[in-house]
Amino acid sequence: MRPTSWLLTAIAVATLAAMAWGSVERFPPPELPADHPLPQPTTPAPRGGDLALLDVAVLLATLALASVFAVVLRNRKLMLATMLFSLAYFGFYRRGCVCPIGAIGNVSWALAGGYVLPAVVLVFFLAPLATALITGRTFCASVCPLGAMQDVVALKPVKVPFWLEQILGLMAYLYLALAVLLAWTGSGFAICQYDPFVSFFRLSGAWNMLAIGVALLAIGVFFARPYCRLFCPYGVLLRLLSRVSWKRVRITPAECIRCRLCEDACPYGAIRPPTDTRPTDRRRGKLILACLLALAPVLTAAGALGARRLSGVLWQANPTVRLAQRVAAERAGEFSDTTKASEAFYRSSGNFEALMAQARQKQVDLADGATWLGAFMGLVIALKLIGLHTRRRRQDFEADPAACLACGRCYNYCPVHRAHRTGDFATLEKLKAATSKT
Amino acid sequence: MADEKKNTALTRREVIQGSLLGAGAAALTALAARLAVASGPKSTVWQIDPAKCIRCGNCATYCVLKPSAVKCVHAYALCGYCKICLGYFEQGRGDWSARAENQLCPYNAIRRLYVDEPYYEYHIDESLCIGCGKCVEGCEKSGNGSLFLQIRHDRCVNCNQCAIAVACPSGAINRVDADKPYLLKRKDGKP
Amino acid sequence: MSKTATGILLGLVVAVAIGVIVVALARFDLTGKGGNRLSGDFNYDQSQFEKIDPALIGYRPAGSFRVELPRPSALAVAPGGIYVAAEKALGVYDRDGRLLFQQVLSGRPTCLTVQGQRLYIGMADHVEILPAGVLNDLPAPTAWPKLQDNALLTSIAADDDAVFLADFNNRRILRCDLEGNVAAVIGKRDVENGVPGFIVPSPYFDLALDRTGRLLAADTGRHRVETYSRDGQLVSFWGQPGPSIEDFLGCCNPCHFALLKDGRIVTSEKGVRRVKLYGADGRFECVVAGPAELAASAPRPITEEDWPMLAADGLDVLVLDGQTGTVTRFVPKTASSASEASKDSGH
């Protein structure tokens, strides 16, 4: 520091001190004995910033390891170990908080200008998505603690009809849209409020959430990973990206011999058998496709209009709207008492007109948001229908890129994989001969 | 012939796949760039603004932790060091001896220390405090308001969505900069 | 396990689980609607003090008016009118609330009194003086020098010989001559010389002069009103903390008091907002207004910062609510009072 800057600093400090001295002390302490010092309230620090960097490092490391284990090494045991480590770290050690799923709320709110998105949250949101582009949903298999919770209880998975899972799976899209909308309008982070497994990680919480968690785990014994497959809003994004991923989990390391051994290997119903090779009625197919394509804008518009009409339901989710409605009702004499919230409003000598204006703005935002939400859902349904109609032709057993959670359970079912591991190609040849006969 | 057809089909599929991957990567990069604009290096933590707090008691029961991460904090500099402290005594009893039943706190979490006639110093035993805010209300209503509620960061798990913030009727709980994690009451009466 | 058995078990588990989820979601109280669900022990309740036996109330409200001034901070009554000081402003009103005149001030006064032709204005750390009762062309105020030791004046009283200033920050009373020179310091803690000192935990430290020229001061930490001779000797005191109506509630009360023209003392309390009347000897006489009566003049819940400010007008009591800027006149219920007659003539 140069002498002049020293001088300036000294002047600034002196001025500040003089200002502090000159200000009126509203509560001077009583005349305590001189040997009795005035204690200061303690302020234990929150978890430090360097530990947040550790979280980021662990996330990136587990993602990288999971991808290598799943796609390069094709080693289920190492993936399982990664999963258990992630469950311990992100679940029980970090108690479920800082997680990419919940980051959807932060991101939406930051995009709406609600607050400055912490860089750590940004990385947590983006890293698994970027990984999905490269190696598919390896985050789901080995990093996500919510997934791990359900993974360990998937003891007796049953097959669910493809169409049923597709229909139930729409809930995840709705959940995502709602969560984005609510966070966008500053109404709260719904995903975190309804996180079913966070009470386990914290070993405490509201009984409701604990009950929902237990119920989901009970369902998860038979229907593996129900949250991931039916509700997870982050899964929606991962699905989309892993559809086009560069590398991904392939059941077989080489050529599929269509032995059908892997058919029942996937607890998540993500393995698709080879398609029918019989010629189909192409004319009829094209006609249906045309109809579905025409239906898409209709569904989108219908969704938009319908959701806009129903948007009043969402108003209650916003605290400003709730308060404004209550205060307005109290002023109109509909209630003889006050609530804690309305009382707090009166005490703060809050401006009623300003509150109403704010609430009206929120209502407009929520209605507009609901319109987008409806349009989105209409479009999703239309695309699902089109997707169901135009099923890709497959000659081999393949993992559905969207539904595959990259857990690698199918690897050991595949004789080709086993042969490549053990070097015992003789058995594989025998099996090949047997299957080609049938 | 069959093989050749298969090869071209694969190639076409690969081209589509590749362009989709490129589109996905581009979209993700665009999102990342947009988010980077809206982001900053600092983290946030939850804290109660004592100026907005109405001592409703929700902090004690809506926190995901039992007992709550919210505790009573004492701004000693604001305290009158009263002998008859209405954050400490149940004034309806009219008995100013420090017996348990005369104390306002159901858990007797306030420790009273004799300093010098007639001054007493009050300390919160955080291991007993559940953050119900009863003493804070007593101090606020009758005294100087030197007791107030704060989220204690040695306990808070910093949920992404603070459950008490959602249940707070006066909107007193908000995210604050993690570098300044407390909103302590100051001597000039402002938080 | 057979396939059917598994199927039945699966159906049962899924049905029960979905039921549990639905019930748990339906009974989920995220928004605090259900309140804190703590037992009554955890809720601060002073309703027992807020209900006041109507038989004890000896006054009734007789009209009120709003002063359109920012953050009213002091109240005084003089023959010329009702003086209300506020942020950088002084308003003088007649008894019906008509504004007689308004004056710009240099700051927010902390106390105010009118003595003869002088209006003394306490400005935190110094006193300013204006001529009282002049309706226009007020001169710039005469200001006394700033007091030492970071003084904070909370009350001021004057007669023909001296001006008494209550300095909250130093827990002392200053007696000044009419030129503003400090003549004596009263009540400053001095253990060696047997002066216990005032205990004033919060910035409410009121004083007044009685008809005989003796000084009355509120020792709020002891819940007492103390009488001093003019040279600072403690003569007598009365008042004690306690839950009964004749006692003072809270940690430091009475926060304000004023003397009626017959020497009786009217007090106001913080915590439970109430105004009570005591005889000159400190015997409890009646309640002037309880929380309900005071709330009537300030209909919405108030912040805890501004407790009712008082002034006596003959036998009437004027209460200023700092939050709403409402001045309410309370008159004795007994018809014999002089103010009652004058009020009737006013209508």
Side-chain angles (χ1 to χ4, degrees):
Chain A
M1 237 189 224
R2 293 201 316 270
T4 43
S5 37
W6 274 112
L7 189 68
L8 285 175
T9 315
I11 290 171
V13 168
T15 316
L16 281 175
M19 278 164 68
W21 193 255
S23 68
V24 177
E25 280 188 13
R26 221 172 83 95
F27 294 110
E31 290 129 329
L32 301 178
D35 59 349
H36 185 85
L38 197 68
Q40 292 297 314
T42 58
T43 52
R47 198 169 175 274
D50 34 349
L51 284 170
L53 290 181
L54 176 69
D55 295 342
V56 170
V58 170
L59 174 78
L60 297 178
T62 44
L63 278 174
L65 287 176
S67 297
V68 170
F69 295 157
V71 177
V72 182
L73 298 180
R74 296 174 56 89
N75 188 322
R76 162 82 186 144
K77 272 187 190 143
L78 288 174
M79 292 166 72
L80 199 62
T82 316
M83 181 190 91
L84 292 175
F85 169 77
S86 300
L87 178 61
Y89 187 87
F90 293 113
F92 290 99
Y93 168 61
R94 288 300 293 121
R95 304 208 239 188
C97 258
V98 71
C99 98
I101 309 174
I104 291 172
N106 306 55
V107 164
S108 310
W109 198 37
L111 285 178
Y115 88 140
V116 178
L117 185 70
V120 174
V121 179
L122 177 66
V123 175
F124 264 77
F125 177 73
L126 289 175
L129 294 179
T131 312
L133 267 184
I134 304 166
T135 55
R137 298 172 68 177
T138 45
F139 168 76
C140 300
S142 310
V143 185
C144 180
L146 279 77
M149 278 297 285
Q150 302 167 84
D151 209 279
V152 293
V153 297
L155 299 171
K156 206 145 183 64
V158 295
K159 273 214 150 154
V160 176
F162 180 70
W163 58 269
L164 181 64
E165 191 176 341
Q166 292 298 306
I167 290 172
L168 291 177
L170 286 173
M171 289 190 289
Y173 292 85
L174 184 62
Y175 193 12
L176 171 68
L178 274 174
V180 169
L181 174 55
L182 292 179
W184 186 277
T185 55
S187 315
F189 293 177
I191 297 171
C192 303
Q193 286 172 257
Y194 293 98
D195 185 333
F197 302 116
V198 82
S199 337
F200 291 95
F201 300 145
R202 295 186 183 128
L203 309 171
S204 73
W207 69 266
N208 309 63
M209 230 50 250
L210 199 69
I212 292 170
V214 171
L216 276 177
L217 288 182
I219 294 175
V221 174
F222 304 101
F223 180 82
R225 292 207 188 206
Y227 184 80
C228 308
R229 287 158 76 189
L230 307 184
F231 302 105
C232 183
Y234 196 66
V236 170
L237 305 176
L238 290 170
R239 254 163 204 281
L240 195 66
L241 293 173
S242 64
R243 252 178 227 282
V244 298
S245 67
W246 177 49
K247 298 251 184 236
R248 68 175 69 111
V249 163
R250 297 189 191 283
I251 304 169
T252 172
E255 203 183 336
C256 175
I257 59 167
R258 293 187 275 283
C259 64
R260 307 178 59 134
L261 283 176
C262 63
E263 211 170 26
D264 294 324
C266 184
Y268 314 120
I271 293 178
R272 306 275 175 265
T275 44
D276 227 333
T277 43
R278 279 173 303 177
T280 48
D281 186 349
R282 293 186 71 107
R283 249 185 78 89
R284 190 165 161 269
K286 278 191 176 162
L287 196 66
I288 294 174
L289 181 63
C291 286
L292 286 177
L293 283 174
L295 190 62
V298 177
L299 275 177
T300 309
L305 292 176
R308 194 177 182 87
R309 296 205 71 174
L310 292 173
S311 65
V313 183
L314 291 175
W315 291 348
Q316 283 304 307
N318 186 280
T320 311
V321 180
R322 275 203 307 269
L323 176 63
Q325 285 182 343
R326 174 74 198 194
V327 172
E330 280 176 18
R331 281 166 68 106
E334 283 174 41
F335 297 99
S336 57
D337 59 342
T338 55
T339 61
K340 296 253 180 190
S342 65
E343 216 178 292
F345 172 73
Y346 300 133
R347 272 202 215 190
S348 69
S349 48
N351 181 341
F352 177 68
E353 294 308 320
L355 175 73
M356 289 308 283
Q358 264 176 28
R360 271 193 294 272
Q361 186 55 49
K362 288 287 174 204
Q363 285 172 327
V364 169
D365 292 350
L366 282 164
D368 290 349
T371 313
W372 284 104
L373 178 147
F376 170 73
M377 285 312 291
L379 190 64
V380 166
I381 292 170
L383 289 175
K384 280 261 175 200
L385 287 172
I386 293 170
L388 285 174
H389 175 68
T390 56
R391 305 257 305 259
R392 237 174 67 180
R393 283 173 60 197
R394 278 179 305 270
Q395 283 158 336
D396 303 334
F397 281 90
E398 279 177 23
D400 180 336
C404 173
L405 297 170
C407 68
R409 275 192 178 82
C410 50
Y411 290 162
N412 280 331
Y413 287 81
C414 179
V416 186
H417 172 85
R418 281 204 303 269
H420 277 257
R421 291 223 111 178
T422 55
D424 175 16
F425 287 93
T427 325
L428 178 63
E429 286 309 317
K430 264 188 243 163
L431 193 66
K432 249 187 184 170
T435 41
S436 60
K437 266 182 215 150
T438 50
Chain B
M1 177 69 196
D3 272 352
E4 205 184 296
K5 197 175 179 183
K6 192 183 158 196
N7 279 344
T8 49
L10 265 179
T11 316
R12 199 175 66 205
R13 195 176 267 184
E14 272 166 10
V15 168
I16 293 171
Q17 188 86 35
S19 43
L20 283 177
L21 174 57
L28 198 58
T29 313
L31 179 65
R34 174 65 185 82
L35 284 175
V37 173
S39 83
K42 281 181 177 159
S43 297
T44 59
V45 290
W46 295 97
Q47 195 48 273
I48 301 172
D49 182 349
K52 287 185 185 168
C53 172
I54 60 163
R55 290 84 58 187
C56 65
N58 283 3
C59 286
T61 45
Y62 283 84
C63 184
V64 296
L65 299 180
K66 300 273 176 302
S68 171
V70 172
K71 304 279 173 200
C72 175
V73 173
H74 194 185
Y76 297 95
L78 298 181
C79 181
Y81 282 73
C82 301
K83 188 173 186 175
I84 296 172
C85 167
L86 274 308
Y88 181 73
F89 283 115
E90 190 76 72
Q91 71 176 336
R93 297 182 67 89
D95 180 353
W96 315 114
S97 66
R99 282 208 298 273
E101 66 268 29
N102 294 339
Q103 292 181 27
L104 192 71
C105 178
Y107 286 122
N108 297 330
I110 305 182
R111 300 260 169 276
R112 183 161 117 127
L113 211 84
Y114 173 78
V115 178
D116 184 24
E117 186 60 33
Y119 299 124
Y120 289 82
E121 197 166 85
Y122 298 88
H123 297 274
I124 309 299
D125 185 343
E126 286 192 12
S127 64
L128 295 175
C129 177
I130 63 157
C132 70
K134 189 185 184 186
C135 61
V136 178
E137 179 74 347
C139 181
E140 194 73 39
K141 276 253 168 81
S142 296
N144 286 1
S146 60
L147 297 176
F148 60 108
L149 293 174
Q150 285 285 282
I151 292 171
R152 305 298 280 169
H153 293 297
D154 50 346
R155 287 188 48 74
C156 176
V157 293
N158 200 16
C159 299
N160 201 25
Q161 175 65 69
C162 172
I164 326 173
V166 177
C168 177
S170 60
I173 304 184
N174 287 294
R175 291 179 178 82
V176 299
D177 207 329
D179 297 341
K180 283 181 76 184
Y182 291 90
L183 295 171
L184 298 177
K185 276 197 164 182
R186 288 198 330 215
K187 235 178 162 180
D188 54 12
K190 290 174 192 145
Chain C
M1 218 187 312
S2 75
K3 229 175 170 177
T4 22
T6 319
I8 289 168
L9 182 66
L10 186 154
L12 265 176
V13 168
V14 171
V16 169
I18 290 173
V20 166
I21 292 174
V22 168
V23 171
L25 282 178
R27 301 203 51 192
F28 215 166
D29 172 23
L30 287 169
T31 58
K33 220 162 75 182
N36 60 29
R37 303 183 306 277
L38 290 165
S39 81
D41 288 348
F42 292 91
N43 288 314
Y44 187 77
D45 181 19
Q46 48 184 16
S47 55
Q48 54 164 321
F49 306 118
E50 279 167 0
K51 280 187 222 96
I52 289 176
D53 179 3
L56 290 173
I57 300 179
Y59 276 68
R60 61 178 175 78
S64 67
F65 62 90
R66 286 279 290 274
V67 296
E68 300 300 329
L69 297 173
R71 298 172 65 221
S73 58
L75 173 72
V77 175
I82 299 164
Y83 290 69
V84 179
E87 182 76 53
K88 295 194 172 173
L90 172 80
V92 182
Y93 303 81
D94 72 6
R95 56 175 295 136
D96 296 318
R98 275 187 293 270
L99 181 69
L100 298 178
F101 71 98
Q102 205 167 336
Q103 165 78 2
V104 176
L105 299 178
S106 64
R108 187 177 185 231
T110 49
C111 48
L112 195 68
T113 193
V114 183
Q115 162 60 26
Q117 290 307 303
R118 274 179 160 190
L119 168 63
Y120 293 96
I121 304 167
M123 283 289 187
D125 57 1
H126 69 279
V127 175
E128 291 182 11
I129 298 163
L130 280 172
V134 181
L135 291 182
N136 42 39
D137 291 336
L138 276 179
T142 330
W144 285 354
K146 196 174 151 181
L147 292 160
Q148 297 298 304
D149 308 320
N150 192 26
L152 174 58
L153 302 181
T154 51
S155 185
I156 185 166
D159 59 16
D160 295 334
D161 301 323
V163 178
F164 291 85
L165 307 171
D167 172 7
F168 159 68
N169 270 4
N170 298 294
R171 275 87 176 179
R172 65 183 181 184
I173 292 170
L174 302 172
R175 193 183 81 214
C176 302
D177 62 23
L178 297 183
E179 276 67 54
N181 305 306
V182 177
V185 176
I186 298 171
K188 181 73 184 161
R189 183 177 169 93
D190 184 356
V191 183
E192 280 164 32
N193 292 314
V195 184
F198 294 108
I199 306 174
V200 195
S202 56
Y204 297 95
F205 184 24
D206 209 352
L207 57 69
L209 290 171
D210 73 5
R211 283 172 302 172
T212 64
R214 285 190 307 189
L215 174 69
L216 273 73
D219 195 350
T220 61
R222 296 191 176 88
H223 300 79
R224 300 200 306 217
V225 176
E226 297 174 343
T227 308
Y228 288 84
S229 66
R230 290 175 78 89
D231 57 359
Q233 293 301 310
L234 178 63
V235 178
S236 65
F237 60 82
W238 57 267
Q240 63 174 26
S244 35
I245 190 77
E246 63 268 24
D247 298 333
F248 292 116
L249 286 170
C251 72
C252 30
N253 268 323
C255 61
H256 296 291
F257 70 91
L259 296 184
L260 299 186
K261 71 174 179 194
D262 58 7
R264 288 183 296 167
I265 300 155
V266 57
T267 63
S268 88
E269 281 169 76
K270 69 196 202 74
V272 176
R273 291 162 72 85
R274 56 186 192 185
V275 177
K276 296 184 299 189
L277 183 67
Y278 292 84
D281 56 353
R283 197 170 36 80
F284 171 74
E285 287 200 358
C286 68
V287 175
V288 174
E293 288 74 24
L294 292 169
S297 65
R300 278 299 173 196
I302 31 72
T303 60
E304 279 73 15
E305 216 166 287
D306 298 293
W307 300 105
M309 289 170 264
L310 290 179
D313 186 7
L315 294 178
D316 294 355
V317 177
L318 295 183
V319 177
L320 167 63
D321 180 80
Q323 190 67 29
T324 57
T326 310
V327 177
T328 310
R329 177 180 293 271
F330 288 91
V331 299
K333 275 182 178 168
T334 46
S336 62
S337 100
S339 64
E340 187 74 2
S342 68
K343 190 206 137 274
D344 286 344
S345 66
H347 275 263

